[in-house]
Amino acid sequence: MTDLTSALGRAVVVASPDARLRTRCVAQLAQRGETVVSAADFKTPAIGDALRRTASIAIAESLLPADPSQWSEIIEDHGWCGRVLILGTAGSTVDPTATELPYLPAPFDIARLVALL
């Protein structure tokens, strides 16, 4: 197979600087049969173009600029085309209605995150 996504099926990328959160998400998603990629940052070149075109991604709010109106453009500029979910961070003052992207405020239940992806 020439395409990584053909070999893996549907993939989910969990991008967060919080290794503990990534580990919990990976465990829950893998239990549900998802192929999961864990990354400290969604901009890392190690995540190839094929995966960026097809994978769903959960991105920690802390990896994005403070202005939610810029989030979609930044994510698209880095080649992400699949389903996107923003993971809120503790103490965030972001208004979830300020972005058209799905936003899961902290603290959140991992099962809810899994259901949204």
Side-chain angles (χ1 to χ4, degrees), residues 19-94:
R20 198 171 97 210
L21 172 65
R22 288 194 321 266
T23 301
R24 290 176 48 217
C25 291
V26 167
Q28 291 284 328
L29 289 161
Q31 284 179 347
R32 297 184 193 288
E34 303 291 351
T35 300
V36 187
V37 176
S38 174
D41 192 348
F42 71 100
K43 297 175 269 187
T44 182
I47 300 172
D49 290 340
L51 200 54
R52 290 173 191 268
R53 283 192 304 272
T54 59
S56 295
I57 186 167
I59 303 174
E61 173 188 340
S62 60
L63 295 174
L64 297 165
D67 183 359
S69 67
Q70 299 172 356
W71 292 355
S72 290
E73 183 178 348
I74 288 168
I75 292 165
E76 288 173 13
D77 286 350
H78 285 88
W80 293 100
C81 302
R83 176 134 170 77
V84 175
L85 175 64
I86 307 300
L87 305 175
T89 55
S92 174
T93 58
V94 167

Side-chain angles (χ1 to χ4, degrees), residues 24 28-29 32 104 108-117:
R24 290 176 48 217
Q28 291 284 328
L29 289 161
R32 297 184 193 288
L104 189 58
F108 54 83
D109 179 50
I110 298 293
R112 176 127 169 83
L113 176 147
V114 171
L116 289 170
L117 288 171

